[in-house]
Amino acid sequence: MSETNRALITTFYQAFQRLDAEAMAACYCDDVLFSDPAFGELRGRDAGDMWRMLTTRAKDFSLTFDSVQADERAGSAHWVATYLFSQTGNTVVNDIHARFVFRDGKICEHHDAFSLWRWSRQALGFKGLLLGWTPLVGNAVRGQALKGLKAFQAGR
């Protein structure tokens, strides 16, 4: 089972490298719980739609992943995404540690951890450098991310 779950994580990130959100979402249980500092918690279809939105909008995108580990219940991986942040035109290199929980051969929980301050310094420039560590910026980033997701879903 650990090999199967390692392969599932690898399949997920290989699909991400191809910007294939449908293949990514197919790795998830229908009631998946996703979390990260930018979007907060997303459940079910919202998690797949987040990947659909991000892959559709990706510019100058590349992704590497390594350190894939898994057992029958849980797993982890390290990944780095490089892309152009469309709102500012700044290049972001986001270094992320992912944790997974598996159920019935699928990912039922996916938790990404990264420094929102490091991300905001790159994405937002000087404003992110000065204020990116504050809850104000974190809340604004989450609010904007969720607003973008809802607009994407409304346009589908």
Side-chain angles (χ1 to χ4, degrees), residues 120-135:
S120 66
R121 288 190 323 242
Q122 295 175 77
L124 305 175
F126 190 65
K127 180 172 109 176
L129 174 65
L130 290 180
L131 301 172
W133 59 273
T134 66

Side-chain angles (χ1 to χ4, degrees), residues 4 16 21 37 42 47 51-52 55 59 67 69 75-76 98 115 132-134 139 141-142 145 148-149 152 154:
T4 302
F16 199 0
L42 299 173
W51 295 121
R52 289 177 185 94
T55 58
K59 301 282 185 246
S67 304
Q69 299 178 348
S76 63
S115 167
W133 59 273
T134 66
N139 291 336
V141 166
R142 271 185 296 287
L149 177 58
F152 175 79

Side-chain angles (χ1 to χ4, degrees), residues 71-109:
D71 60 26
E72 345 18 88
R73 184 187 163 317
S76 63
H78 168 256
W79 60 285
V80 178
T82 303
Y83 57 93
L84 194 68
F85 185 63
S86 61
Q87 293 178 16
T88 60
N90 292 341
T91 297
V92 172
V93 180
N94 202 7
D95 192 317
I96 302 162
H97 179 74
R99 292 181 300 107
F100 302 94
V101 177
F102 307 107
R103 184 178 72 231
D104 301 327
K106 300 241 179 167
I107 297 166
C108 65
E109 290 186 29

Side-chain angles (χ1 to χ4, degrees), residues 44-79:
R45 178 125 182 117
D46 288 346
D49 283 347
M50 175 201 61
W51 295 121
R52 289 177 185 94
M53 177 184 75
L54 293 176
T55 58
T56 300
R57 296 179 178 175
K59 301 282 185 246
D60 296 332
F61 177 84
S62 67
L63 180 133
T64 60
F65 68 96
D66 57 39
S67 304
V68 175
Q69 299 178 348
D71 60 26
E72 345 18 88
R73 184 187 163 317
S76 63
H78 168 256
W79 60 285

